[in-house]
């Protein structure tokens, strides 16, 4: 399959390895060495470099200049990914590869806009400055995005692979592929407001649901969620993951039944969406900072 450049326009989202440990890459996108301590072990990462670490499911400690002194939980069946102790920006870019000689490209995905140092970029991508960036890519920060891939025929006209970039590397990639040399500096604010990156900690409680019948359905999921955020044993985590799946299915069926009897208001539908998104964020995360 050959690479098809997804439009980059100039403008002014729990699959796990089934293991009880997850592989992470402590990444340092800065121009200075990085010092980080995890579970009492010191890691020294050179500028623009990374160091691998494997963490078992359960509670861990971390200490760094930006994140401070924290406790976090790594979860059973986690995908691993990047540990981002500088809380810098990363971009996960979706690249479509078309079948050779095809005349009908497949679905490319919607365009999103991200902002790096005050400069907007548009394309099929997402941005993250989270401490733990869950692996959702084929090509890591130090791997090149190839011009073509060879795969088994999946019956589709294209296939998509993700590539994760450090912010600076993405800017260079964007300018080259959009034929827009100098775009970043030309559009960078002369007096930009300082960007403050904050450590993300999930709320210990799920969003409210005002409808009494829906809230009754939601109660078991609230209890499950609260336990999961504190679960430090891999077996407990696994059991709660299975329970969450069963409870989530029951909640969805119950909400649909209520909607069939008495049409839910737009407010209730919106609250259900926020409720389910919050659950998905928790259960889709490889690791979470303890509330």
């Amino acid at each position: 399959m050959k690479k098809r450049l997804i439009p980059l326009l100039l403008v002014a989202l729990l699959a796990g390895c089934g293991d009880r440990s997850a592989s992470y890459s402590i990444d340092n996108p800065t121009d200075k060495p990085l010092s980080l301590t995890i579970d009492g072990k010191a890691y020294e990462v050179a500028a623009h470099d990374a160091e691998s670490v494997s963490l078992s499911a359960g509670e861990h400690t971390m200490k760094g200049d930006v994140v401070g002194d924290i406790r976090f939980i790594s979860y059973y069946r986690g995908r691993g990914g990047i540990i981002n102790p500088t809380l810098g920006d990363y971009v996960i870019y979706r690249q479509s590869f078309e079948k050779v000689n095809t005349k009908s490209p497949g679905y490319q995905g919607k365009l999103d806009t991200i902002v790096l140092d005050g400069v907007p970029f548009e394309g099929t991508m997402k941005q993250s400055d989270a401490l733990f960036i869950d692996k959702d890519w084929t090509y890591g920060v130090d791997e090149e995005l190839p011009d073509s891939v060879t795969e088994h025929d999946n019956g589709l006209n294209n296939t998509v692979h993700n590539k994760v970039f450090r912010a600076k590397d993405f800017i260079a990639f964007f300018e080259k592929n959009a034929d827009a040399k100098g775009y970043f500096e030309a559009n960078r604010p002369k007096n930009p407001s300082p960007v403050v990156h904050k450590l993300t900690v999930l709320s210990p409680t799920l969003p409210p649901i005002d409808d009494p019948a829906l809230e009754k359905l939601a109660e078991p999921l609230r209890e499950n969620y609260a336990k999961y955020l504190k679960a430090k044993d891999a077996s407990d985590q696994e059991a709660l993951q299975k329970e969450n799946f069963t409870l989530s299915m029951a909640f969805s069926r119950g909400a649909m039944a209520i909607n069939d009897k008495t049409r839910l208001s737009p407010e209730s539908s919106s609250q259900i969406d926020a409720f389910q998104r919050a659950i998905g964020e928790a259960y889709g995360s490889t690791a979470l900072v303890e509330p």
Side-chain angles (χ1 to χ4, degrees):
M1 289 187 169
K2 61 183 180 179
K3 182 166 70 176
R4 180 181 188 276
L5 292 180
I6 300 175
L8 292 170
L9 305 184
L10 306 186
V11 292
L13 341 147
L14 187 67
C17 60
D19 203 347
R20 293 181 177 240
S21 63
S23 297
Y24 297 87
S25 177
I26 304 171
D27 197 66
N28 179 13
T30 71
D31 298 327
K32 299 179 180 179
L34 169 72
S35 296
L36 187 72
T37 301
I38 298 178
D39 296 335
K41 180 179 178 179
Y43 294 87
E44 301 293 331
V45 187
H48 309 290
D49 204 353
E51 185 165 346
S52 298
V53 59
S54 179
L55 297 177
S56 60
E59 185 180 50
H60 300 271
T61 61
M62 180 185 297
K63 187 174 183 179
D65 291 340
V66 176
V67 299
D69 198 343
I70 63 171
R71 292 181 180 273
F72 68 94
I73 296 176
S74 181
Y75 284 94
Y76 173 75
R77 296 186 72 236
R79 292 171 290 178
I82 290 174
I83 295 179
N84 174 25
T86 67
L87 303 183
D89 283 312
Y90 288 78
V91 178
I92 301 172
Y93 175 72
R94 290 171 51 85
Q95 175 65 65
S96 175
F97 293 86
E98 288 184 358
K99 274 186 180 179
V100 175
N101 299 323
T102 186
K103 295 182 179 180
S104 176
Y107 174 69
Q108 308 302 312
K110 70 183 184 70
L111 298 181
D112 294 298
T113 299
I114 65 171
V115 178
L116 299 174
D117 286 343
V119 181
F121 297 84
E122 190 169 279
T124 50
M125 56 200 170
K126 62 182 180 181
Q127 177 181 8
S128 178
D129 63 355
L131 173 58
F132 302 103
I133 304 176
D134 299 328
K135 186 174 182 181
D136 184 25
W137 53 81
T138 304
Y139 305 102
V141 291
D142 293 320
E143 295 178 294
E144 294 290 332
L145 188 63
D147 292 324
S148 63
V149 296
T150 301
E151 298 183 346
H152 293 293
D153 191 346
N154 59 8
L156 303 175
N157 288 324
N158 76 321
T159 188
V160 174
H161 288 284
N162 292 351
K163 154 73 179 165
V164 61
F165 290 90
R166 299 175 181 123
K168 185 176 180 179
D169 296 334
F170 174 77
I171 292 167
F173 169 82
F174 176 93
E175 292 187 347
K176 178 180 178 181
N177 284 273
D179 193 21
K181 185 177 180 179
Y183 168 75
F184 177 73
E185 289 299 334
N187 290 277
R188 194 175 187 179
K190 293 183 179 179
N191 298 300
S193 300
V195 178
V196 179
H197 296 278
K198 295 182 178 180
L199 193 64
T200 299
V201 180
L202 295 189
S203 170
T205 58
L206 289 168
I209 298 178
D210 295 332
D211 185 284
L214 289 172
E215 177 54 33
K216 186 174 180 61
L217 286 174
E219 287 177 0
L221 278 168
R222 292 190 186 281
E223 295 176 6
N224 174 275
Y225 174 88
K227 291 178 182 177
Y228 191 67
L229 293 189
K230 298 178 181 180
K232 301 172 184 178
D233 181 82
S235 297
D236 291 341
Q237 293 174 0
E238 181 183 15
L240 288 165
Q241 289 169 0
K242 292 178 179 178
E243 181 184 61
N244 177 265
F245 177 79
T246 301
L247 293 175
S248 293
M249 295 296 291
F251 177 82
S252 295
R253 289 193 298 267
M256 290 177 63
I258 292 173
N259 186 56
D260 288 341
K261 291 182 179 179
T262 57
R263 183 69 59 181
L264 293 174
S265 68
E267 292 77 11
S268 291
S269 296
S270 179
Q271 288 179 336
I272 289 174
D273 288 343
F275 180 82
Q276 292 178 320
R277 281 197 306 271
I279 293 173
E281 184 176 1
Y283 277 88
S285 296
T286 292
L288 295 171
V289 178
E290 290 189 44

